[in-house]
Amino acid sequence: MVVGIPREIMHGEGRVAAIPETVAKLKADGYEVLVEKNAGAEAFFADADYAAAGAEMVADAQELYDRSDIILKVKEPLFNEEKGKHEVDMMHAGQYLITFIHPASPVNHEMVKKMAANGIISLTLDGVPRISRAQNLDALTSMSTCAGYKGILMAASDLTKFIPMTMCAVGMIKPCNVLVIGTGVAGLQALATAKRLGGVIYAADIRPAAAENAQSLGAKIVDTGIPAEAAIAPGGYANALSEEMILKEREALKDVVKDMDIIFCSALVPSKLAPVLITEEMVKSMKPGSVIVDISIDQGGNCEITDPGKTAVKHGVTIEGIKNIPGMLPTSSTWMFAHNIYNLVKYLTKDGAISLDMNDEIVQGTLTTIDGKLVHKGALEAMNK
């Protein structure tokens, strides 16, 4: 089978789905590997190194799609302006696609329907279950580490004042208050980074264990008032809450939000729309010059007025809706991602080809389209709301 590694076309995306080290591993496993020229350039992985690892370098993206049995990507299929066509239309029936698809996000609904109609077999990396045997496949955790770190640095750059307490000849400037909503991998990294920068850190998470992890970093915990039995889903993830409980969580956050200088939003429910926890009215209550970084935007966003893929100032608050924050750390994030996706391909490989066991928990969590149908539960639920 032939594995194709296209150059990512999202604006500002510097990552790539393979590095020379993982190309060599794919070759050793019996795959042929095609890499689009300059695919790794922005992450500083050179074409010559891919070729030395055994890849065939391909200049034309359409040729790569035509010749490949499996496409490994970082981001969901997008419109390729250079080719004048959507990447879904560059693929063919029976071809495997493994990438972050975020099929539950409304902006991707038409795209995943089209993939199904075109006969593409797609697996989404955001559906990898958080179980022990899937740890080395979990690209979402890897990218969350990057997003937590870089997201706080973005907030620091947007902010119009110092984050740490600062003494000067005319007095003392108080440190900034930083609230992290959702203290999973990204949230904990954000808290640690904000603390290193000198901020006073606060955290909110409906899961008691996640809140305890945040507290261990020195965060002041915001009690959401959500009972543990309603908060925790299998695998330790956050559970999807009823509208009544989401309203309760918003009320708990309401009085805290107005005193924050930075809010980092990373509350997610696997394979479902992200809960809206910061309303427009809550944004209006914040101090002018404050910043919200909403890294949950790929799944709809935690802030009601985040613009997907954009940075906007609304009611005097800068709201970051950038969708590819890990792509802003392309060397480190590519190294992590390339190993995750290689490990998944190896896991799915039987006798030199991809083989999907429909009873396997990892396949069930990631499979998005197959046999002309959309099968992803989270996407189907989101479309039927």
Side-chain angles (χ1 to χ4, degrees), residues 255-271:
D255 289 337
V256 180
V257 162
K258 61 184 175 61
D259 296 323
M260 295 298 119
D261 299 288
I262 296 171
I263 299 178
F264 182 90
C265 299
S266 61
L268 291 172
V269 178
S271 300

Side-chain angles (χ1 to χ4, degrees), residues 152 155-157 159 161-166 174-178 194 197-200 262:
I152 290 295
S157 180
L159 209 59
K161 51 188 176 182
F162 293 114
I163 288 183
M165 181 178 72
T166 303
K174 291 182 179 180
C176 284
N177 293 326
V178 181
L197 291 174
V200 178
I262 296 171

Side-chain angles (χ1 to χ4, degrees), residues 125-237:
L125 294 167
D126 53 297
V128 172
R130 198 158 285 174
I131 54 178
S132 57
R133 63 190 176 91
Q135 282 183 346
N136 69 348
L137 322 175
D138 191 356
L140 188 60
T141 290
S142 296
M143 297 305 100
S144 293
T145 299
C146 300
Y149 170 77
K150 187 67 173 180
I152 290 295
L153 297 186
M154 290 165 59
S157 180
D158 290 335
L159 209 59
T160 57
K161 51 188 176 182
F162 293 114
I163 288 183
M165 181 178 72
T166 303
M167 301 298 296
C168 64
V170 292
M172 181 194 78
I173 299 174
K174 291 182 179 180
C176 284
N177 293 326
V178 181
L179 170 64
V180 173
I181 302 174
T183 54
V185 174
L188 290 174
Q189 184 64 238
L191 284 170
T193 305
K195 185 179 180 181
R196 287 194 292 266
L197 291 174
V200 178
I201 56 175
Y202 296 75
D205 198 298
I206 61 175
R207 299 163 297 172
E212 287 175 18
N213 289 338
Q215 194 169 29
S216 71
L217 289 174
K220 300 176 183 181
I221 303 303
V222 179
D223 184 4
T224 62
I226 306 299
E229 61 269 20
I232 306 169
Y237 288 103

Side-chain angles (χ1 to χ4, degrees), residues 3-8 14-19 22-23 26 39-40 50 71-75 98-99 125 334-342:
V3 174
I5 313 293
R7 180 173 57 85
E8 296 295 322
R15 291 173 292 175
V16 61
I19 59 176
T22 59
V23 165
L26 287 165
Y50 284 109
I71 295 292
L72 303 183
K73 273 178 53 58
V74 178
K75 298 301 292 184
I98 304 176
T99 186
L125 294 167
T334 286
W335 185 87
M336 297 165 79
F337 183 90
H339 283 91
N340 290 141
I341 203 167
Y342 164 73

Side-chain angles (χ1 to χ4, degrees), residues 41-372:
E42 291 187 42
F44 299 99
F45 294 102
D47 286 356
D49 294 329
Y50 284 109
E56 178 185 343
M57 306 308 296
V58 178
D60 181 62
Q62 185 62 70
E63 180 189 347
L64 182 140
Y65 278 101
D66 289 344
R67 292 174 56 192
S68 299
D69 302 299
I70 305 165
I71 295 292
L72 303 183
K73 273 178 53 58
V74 178
K75 298 301 292 184
E76 69 271 21
L78 301 167
F79 185 81
N80 188 322
E81 294 181 2
E82 200 175 284
K83 291 293 180 182
K85 63 173 77 171
H86 201 284
E87 285 180 310
V88 171
D89 294 321
M90 297 172 73
M91 291 185 260
H92 53 263
Q95 192 170 50
Y96 289 89
L97 169 68
I98 304 176
T99 186
F100 278 117
I101 300 171
H102 302 291
S105 181
V107 296
N108 292 328
H109 288 177
E110 292 307 312
M111 180 267 291
V112 293
K113 288 177 184 176
K114 194 170 189 180
M115 280 203 299
N118 288 9
I120 296 158
I121 305 164
S122 63
L123 296 98
T124 184
L125 294 167
D126 53 297
V128 172
R130 198 158 285 174
I131 54 178
S132 57
R133 63 190 176 91
Q135 282 183 346
N136 69 348
L137 322 175
D138 191 356
L140 188 60
T141 290
S142 296
M143 297 305 100
S144 293
T145 299
C146 300
Y149 170 77
K150 187 67 173 180
I152 290 295
L153 297 186
M154 290 165 59
S157 180
D158 290 335
L159 209 59
T160 57
K161 51 188 176 182
F162 293 114
I163 288 183
M165 181 178 72
T166 303
M167 301 298 296
C168 64
V170 292
M172 181 194 78
I173 299 174
K174 291 182 179 180
C176 284
N177 293 326
V178 181
L179 170 64
V180 173
I181 302 174
T183 54
V185 174
L188 290 174
Q189 184 64 238
L191 284 170
T193 305
K195 185 179 180 181
R196 287 194 292 266
L197 291 174
V200 178
I201 56 175
Y202 296 75
D205 198 298
I206 61 175
R207 299 163 297 172
E212 287 175 18
N213 289 338
Q215 194 169 29
S216 71
L217 289 174
K220 300 176 183 181
I221 303 303
V222 179
D223 184 4
T224 62
I226 306 299
E229 61 269 20
I232 306 169
Y237 288 103
N239 209 1
L241 298 179
S242 66
E243 188 60 32
E244 181 183 354
M245 288 199 173
I246 288 176
L247 289 173
K248 185 176 183 179
E249 189 175 357
R250 286 178 192 161
E251 275 302 310
L253 292 169
K254 190 175 178 181
D255 289 337
V256 180
V257 162
K258 61 184 175 61
D259 296 323
M260 295 298 119
D261 299 288
I262 296 171
I263 299 178
F264 182 90
C265 299
S266 61
L268 291 172
V269 178
S271 300
K272 298 183 187 295
L273 285 173
V276 175
L277 301 174
I278 304 293
T279 65
E280 184 168 7
E281 286 303 310
M282 292 162 77
V283 175
K284 287 179 181 178
S285 76
M286 295 176 70
K287 292 172 284 187
S290 301
V291 180
I292 296 173
V293 178
D294 193 351
I295 71 159
S296 66
I297 193 61
D298 271 324
Q299 289 176 228
N302 292 148
C303 176
E304 184 179 27
I305 56 173
T306 305
D307 288 335
K310 297 179 181 178
T311 302
V313 178
K314 299 184 179 183
H315 310 298
V317 177
T318 299
I319 304 175
E320 291 281 4
I322 301 301
K323 296 182 73 174
N324 60 333
I325 293 174
M328 301 166 80
L329 285 171
T331 304
S332 293
S333 58
T334 286
W335 185 87
M336 297 165 79
F337 183 90
H339 283 91
N340 290 141
I341 203 167
Y342 164 73
N343 289 335
L344 180 57
V345 171
K346 188 170 182 65
Y347 178 82
L348 297 173
T349 298
K350 304 288 186 293
D351 299 323
I354 296 287
S355 177
L356 301 180
D357 176 0
M358 297 303 178
N359 295 314
D360 183 88
E361 189 176 355
I362 294 169
V363 173
Q364 290 173 351
T366 57
L367 190 61
T368 303
T369 59
I370 191 169
D371 297 330

